[in-house]
Amino acid sequence: MEDVNNLYKYLNDKYIKPQRTAVLCGTVHCMMIIEELGLHLWKKYVIAPLKAEMLTLVLGALHDDRTGLSMTFKEKEIINGVLQSLVAVEKYEKKENSLKLYEMIFEVPFLEETSEHYRLEASRLLQEGVSKFMNKILERLDEEDVRSVEFLQISSYIKVRRICEERMVVDKLEAIQNECPTIVQNERKDDLRNAFKLLKLTQGGLSVLASQYGEHIKKQGLDTVTSPIQFVEGIINIHSKYTLFTNTVFSNDPVFVSARDIAFSAVVNQTTKGRCKTPQFFATYCDYLLNKSRKDGFNTEVDEKLTKFMDVLRYLNEKDVFENNTWRLLAKRLLFHSEIISEGEEALLDKLKLACGNHLGTKIRQMLADSTFSFDLTKKLKEMTKIDSESFQVFSVHVLRSRTWPIEQSTSSFAVPRELEKSAELFEHYYPEELKGRQITWLYNLSEGDVQLNYLNKQYTITMGTFQIAILLEFQKTDSKTCGELMGITKLNPAQFQNTIQSLVNSKLLAVAAGKQDYSQPSTVISLNTDFWSSRSKFRLETIPETEATTSFIIKDRKEYLQAVIVRIMKSKKNLHQNVLIQEVLSISKSRFDASVELIQECIKTLIGKKYLEETSTNEYSFCGIENGLAGLYGLVADLSENFHKVIYNFRHEYRSFLRIIRARRSTSCNINEKVESVFGDDLLISPTGVV
């Protein structure tokens, strides 16, 4: 038609178009240009009378193409030309919707036929099994997309796609979801990938598959072994596996990433008898990596393990407990195993500080500084005392700053054995002059030494604590002693004494008669085990661990942290309702631990008592300011001081008045209480009644 229009272009331009302009003014009858006239005649004499037969032939050809009877290139051109003509004939129509004829004659019947075809096709394919069904459905959807692009108008693409999805996916959604547990459990990647693609097409269809996926990950994680190192490495391996799985199968879809994270959070924060052991396991694993980096250096393997461990660490809720245990294990390592860390350990600690933040990083930095100072100091003192004392050459001292190390001074008194007194006195004598102003407190509960056993058939060298050494030294001249005698000699308190004796009995160095293991009784007899045997000639004797101090320290640290968070929030907001304040505190503290509402309320009351906050109305607080907070610390002292001066002043003034009354009535008998009450009121009461 365009060729004919171009052939008569001169006629259109010189005659018909001017006439059309006149038509607009209403002077002559309407005239059409050649192309418009041709399209009008095509619509009137071809499309209108033949539309039913034409529709039947077009739908039949498209149906054959869907069922596998491919059309020739010529047939495709004919079908495409017919459908394009339904749009082209409306080219010169003054209508808002130029596709109205196309939609009325072809699109509506085509969509109905498409819906019926794929309804039957989906039922037929489902009989072959869900796995094949999902694969075939995806193929049908892709084929229909290609067919739409080849024959249909752009506006029809979405309509056809929606009908295909409704008939083949939405209508069969239950069958697909029922298959999800099986394919998730067996980890059939192709089926999972197909199910993901199909269920994503439905509203909320991914929830069932994501839930099954999360439960599967959780089960895999909970089935890991309970040994600390194996548990953490098992969690790391599972996390690496399902992170890759989520990426390759589910394209890192947020729904499945969230399901994976929830599952790992449940695994990492699992509790046994109300207690979560994961923070201790994670800290032990960090210590294991430090050992490995010390032996093998900070190689690619250690770096990769640490990176993967950091990915898992973010799921831990009680990060403060992990940091505390890591802090304690590092302190134990520096005190009892290695004074100076290797380059590999230092690189590992740098990455750990970067991951955990300044809270742990500052402590580690200060501890390393103390260890370096202690190593240099011990080396210097050994050079200075080389002539004076040979025994000091096997003596090393750790000089630790208080509040930097996770150590607590033992409340038990202790009588230092004579064998250890000389070395301690030498250290205090040669202690550097520039540090003389500092107070030295010996931590005997953390000290240890090597004891050589020579009374057995085999010689043993055992590393043990100072309290254990003190008790064991008492058996050099005798084979048995009572608990009362040992406690009197060592001066240990009952709890520390029982803990020390229990560790020696458990190691079988000492023995106690069966049924008489009550170490609190002074008459209980402790004997030296002369039949002791061990396959190792050199080993370390561990004491019974104490967890109460660690727990109380963590609770105290949490309270201080929450108080700091509350002050920071209130300093910014000035006034807040209690519920809003609690929610903000929970949001901030979540990165370190899950705080309870009761603990937050307790911290709020503490800050009110310190006058950092004040309760302006029911459950609403306002910030008083740092100055008021500091004033709260000194308020009581200031009030007492001021009141004391007032009382003294009033007492002196009223006492003079009282003396004047006595002098005026020197010869008169009176009740002293009457006069005192008249002067002082009820604030002062003199109990005896006397006559002047």
Side-chain angles (χ1 to χ4, degrees):
M1 191 61 67
E2 289 183 4
D3 295 337
V4 175
N5 192 58
N6 292 332
L7 181 63
Y8 292 95
K9 187 175 185 302
Y10 183 81
L11 179 64
N12 290 335
D13 294 339
K14 298 300 181 180
Y15 179 71
I16 298 178
K17 287 184 179 180
Q19 294 296 330
R20 287 175 64 87
T21 305
V23 168
L24 295 176
C25 299
T27 57
V28 296
H29 295 292
C30 178
M31 297 185 69
M32 301 180 185
I33 62 174
I34 300 302
E35 183 181 16
E36 183 180 2
L37 178 61
L39 293 174
H40 174 73
L41 295 174
W42 180 267
K43 178 180 178 181
K44 183 176 181 180
Y45 295 107
V46 177
I47 294 178
L50 300 176
K51 61 182 179 182
E53 292 83 352
M54 179 184 64
L55 178 63
T56 302
L57 293 173
V58 171
L59 293 180
L62 293 175
H63 177 77
D64 291 342
D65 188 58
R66 283 171 174 165
T67 55
L69 299 176
S70 58
M71 292 184 286
T72 63
F73 179 76
K74 188 65 176 178
E75 291 173 335
K76 289 182 179 181
E77 275 193 333
I78 294 172
I79 297 297
N80 203 6
V82 170
L83 296 178
Q84 290 297 329
S85 70
L86 297 177
V87 180
V89 294
E90 299 288 305
K91 181 177 180 180
Y92 292 97
E93 296 289 337
K94 304 298 182 182
K95 298 177 181 178
E96 294 182 0
N97 184 10
S98 61
L99 299 176
K100 185 176 181 180
L101 184 65
Y102 164 82
E103 293 173 352
M104 182 179 64
I105 294 179
F106 170 75
E107 187 181 73
V108 174
F110 174 73
L111 294 178
E112 292 176 355
E113 195 275 338
T114 300
S115 177
E116 181 63 18
H117 171 78
Y118 283 116
R119 183 184 67 81
L120 298 174
E121 180 75 356
S123 299
R124 183 183 66 82
L125 293 175
L126 189 58
Q127 295 177 359
E128 300 178 7
V130 177
S131 179
K132 291 184 178 180
F133 167 78
M134 293 188 295
N135 194 40
K136 292 291 185 181
I137 291 302
L138 289 171
E139 291 179 2
R140 297 293 186 271
L141 290 173
D142 292 339
E143 291 171 359
E144 199 62 36
D145 287 341
V146 173
R147 191 174 296 111
S148 296
V149 172
E150 191 171 7
F151 297 108
L152 307 182
Q153 295 296 311
I154 295 177
S155 61
S156 300
Y157 294 176
I158 299 176
K159 299 175 183 178
V160 174
R161 178 76 182 192
R162 186 183 301 116
I163 287 177
C164 293
E165 291 173 359
E166 288 177 355
R167 297 290 80 81
M168 294 190 291
V169 181
V170 177
D171 291 351
K172 307 301 178 183
L173 181 62
E174 184 178 356
I176 298 174
Q177 290 181 337
N178 290 339
E179 188 71 10
C180 288
T182 304
I183 60 178
V184 169
Q185 185 176 359
N186 297 327
E187 296 185 3
R188 286 153 35 189
K189 291 185 178 181
D190 291 337
D191 288 344
L192 284 170
R193 192 178 291 109
N194 292 339
F196 165 70
K197 292 178 180 179
L198 292 176
L199 294 175
K200 193 175 182 180
L201 302 175
T202 64
Q203 184 70 26
L206 291 175
S207 58
V208 174
L209 180 59
S211 176
Q212 294 290 336
Y213 181 61
E215 288 298 322
H216 177 68
I217 295 176
K218 182 178 177 181
K219 184 177 183 301
Q220 296 292 317
L222 294 176
D223 288 343
T224 54
V225 291
T226 56
S227 171
I229 305 301
Q230 293 177 335
F231 171 80
V232 179
E233 289 194 336
I235 295 296
I236 290 174
N237 292 335
I238 293 174
H239 182 266
S240 300
K241 172 185 175 181
Y242 287 105
T243 297
L244 180 62
F245 198 95
T246 305
N247 182 27
T248 56
V249 176
F250 302 117
S251 303
N252 273 339
D253 186 271
V255 176
F256 289 88
V257 172
S258 176
R260 180 203 64 191
D261 291 344
I262 292 173
F264 275 104
S265 180
V267 172
V268 169
N269 297 291
Q270 61 178 302
T271 58
T272 304
K273 296 181 180 179
R275 180 168 171 263
C276 181
K277 296 182 179 180
T278 308
Q280 288 85 346
F281 288 177
F282 278 9
T284 303
Y285 186 74
C286 282
D287 192 60
Y288 159 75
L289 291 180
L290 284 172
N291 279 328
K292 192 172 182 63
S293 63
R294 184 176 185 84
K295 294 177 182 177
D296 306 333
F298 191 66
N299 50 33
T300 306
E301 180 187 358
V302 176
D303 184 40
E304 183 179 352
K305 284 187 174 183
L306 182 62
T307 302
K308 292 181 178 179
F309 170 72
M310 294 305 170
D311 292 337
V312 175
L313 178 62
R314 64 190 178 92
Y315 296 111
L316 183 64
N317 289 338
E318 297 181 346
K319 290 186 178 64
D320 60 330
V321 181
F322 160 74
E323 291 178 6
N324 184 271
N325 281 278
T326 303
W327 183 33
R328 290 178 179 275
L329 286 174
L330 179 61
K332 182 178 179 181
R333 179 183 188 78
L334 293 174
L335 291 176
F336 303 127
H337 298 286
S338 59
E339 295 179 351
I340 300 298
I341 63 172
S342 64
E343 293 182 1
E345 290 175 294
E346 188 171 359
L348 188 65
L349 288 173
D350 287 340
K351 295 199 71 170
L352 192 62
K353 288 187 289 185
L354 186 63
C356 296
N358 293 331
H359 191 266
L360 180 63
T362 302
K363 294 177 180 178
I364 292 177
R365 185 169 59 253
Q366 292 174 346
M367 288 166 63
L368 295 180
D370 284 353
S371 295
T372 303
F373 171 76
S374 299
F375 179 80
D376 295 338
L377 178 62
T378 301
K379 184 178 180 181
K380 178 181 177 181
L381 293 180
K382 284 182 178 181
E383 291 293 331
M384 295 171 62
T385 60
K386 193 171 185 180
I387 300 176
D388 297 345
S389 174
E390 294 183 1
S391 62
F392 195 81
Q393 301 307 308
V394 294
F395 183 76
S396 62
V397 181
H398 292 275
V399 181
L400 314 177
R401 285 175 287 182
S402 60
R403 299 183 182 180
T404 298
W405 295 72
I407 54 179
E408 296 181 5
Q409 185 178 359
S410 176
T411 56
S412 174
S413 57
F414 178 60
V416 183
R418 293 189 302 273
E419 292 83 353
L420 303 178
E421 281 182 337
K422 186 175 181 180
S423 297
E425 291 173 356
L426 276 173
F427 175 80
E428 293 181 3
H429 176 72
Y430 285 102
Y431 195 61
E433 288 295 331
E434 62 270 16
L435 301 177
K436 283 290 186 180
R438 299 183 182 180
Q439 181 181 359
I440 299 176
T441 302
W442 289 97
L443 302 176
Y444 295 112
N445 57 312
L446 296 177
S447 303
E448 64 176 17
D450 292 340
V451 176
Q452 195 173 70
L453 305 184
N454 299 318
Y455 62 92
L456 300 168
N457 296 331
K458 180 181 177 181
Q459 192 177 75
Y460 297 95
T461 301
I462 307 175
T463 302
M464 61 179 67
T466 309
F467 294 163
Q468 295 167 322
I469 293 175
I471 290 177
L472 202 59
L473 286 175
E474 296 303 318
F475 291 90
Q476 290 195 98
K477 297 180 180 180
T478 181
D479 290 343
S480 63
K481 276 186 177 293
T482 63
C483 287
E485 292 173 337
L486 292 173
M487 191 180 298
I489 294 171
T490 59
K491 306 298 182 183
L492 292 172
N493 62 34
Q496 190 69 63
F497 175 78
Q498 292 176 32
N499 185 31
T500 306
I501 285 291
Q502 184 67 58
S503 65
L504 291 170
V505 172
N506 290 347
S507 64
K508 298 183 180 180
L509 288 171
L510 299 180
V512 62
K516 297 183 179 181
Q517 296 179 347
D518 187 1
Y519 307 122
S520 62
Q521 295 295 328
S523 59
T524 302
V525 178
I526 307 296
S527 304
L528 186 67
N529 183 13
T530 56
D531 297 327
F532 175 81
W533 182 88
S534 175
S535 59
R536 296 179 297 169
S537 59
K538 189 174 183 179
F539 57 91
R540 175 183 295 275
L541 184 63
E542 299 291 346
T543 59
I544 296 177
E546 299 179 6
T547 59
E548 294 297 330
T550 303
T551 304
S552 62
F553 180 85
I554 290 172
I555 294 175
K556 179 183 177 183
D557 190 55
R558 286 184 176 183
K559 288 181 179 180
E560 292 176 352
Y561 176 80
L562 290 175
Q563 289 177 24
V565 170
I566 293 170
V567 170
R568 186 163 66 247
I569 293 173
M570 293 302 298
K571 186 178 179 182
S572 173
K573 304 292 186 179
K574 304 302 180 184
N575 293 281
L576 273 182
H577 190 273
Q578 181 183 19
N579 294 339
V580 179
L581 176 59
I582 289 175
Q583 289 302 319
E584 291 205 22
V585 173
L586 288 172
S587 177
I588 294 175
S589 62
K590 188 177 180 180
S591 61
R592 287 184 56 79
F593 58 89
D594 287 334
S596 64
V597 176
E598 293 78 10
L599 185 59
I600 296 175
Q601 290 175 337
E602 181 182 344
C603 292
I604 291 174
K605 291 179 181 178
T606 302
L607 291 173
I608 291 175
K610 293 179 179 179
K611 295 189 177 181
Y612 282 98
L613 305 179
E614 65 178 0
E615 192 170 2
T616 56
S617 61
T618 305
N619 294 333
E620 188 167 332
Y621 306 105
S622 65
F623 181 63
C624 298
I626 301 299
E627 295 80 5
N628 289 350
L630 293 175
L633 298 176
Y634 306 109
L636 180 60
V637 177
D639 291 342
L640 288 176
S641 176
E642 183 180 359
N643 291 334
F644 179 76
H645 287 297
K646 289 181 180 179
V647 169
I648 293 299
Y649 175 81
N650 291 334
F651 182 83
R652 292 174 62 187
H653 175 73
E654 299 297 341
Y655 180 70
R656 292 191 183 98
S657 300
F658 178 72
L659 290 179
R660 286 196 295 270
I661 294 172
I662 295 299
R663 293 191 188 100
R665 301 188 179 185
R666 188 178 296 274
S667 59
T668 307
S669 297
C670 67
N671 190 317
I672 294 180
N673 272 349
E674 293 177 0
K675 301 306 173 186
V676 171
E677 289 176 5
S678 66
V679 176
F680 295 100
D682 296 331
D683 292 336
L684 181 62
L685 177 63
I686 301 177
S687 54
T689 301
V691 177
V692 180

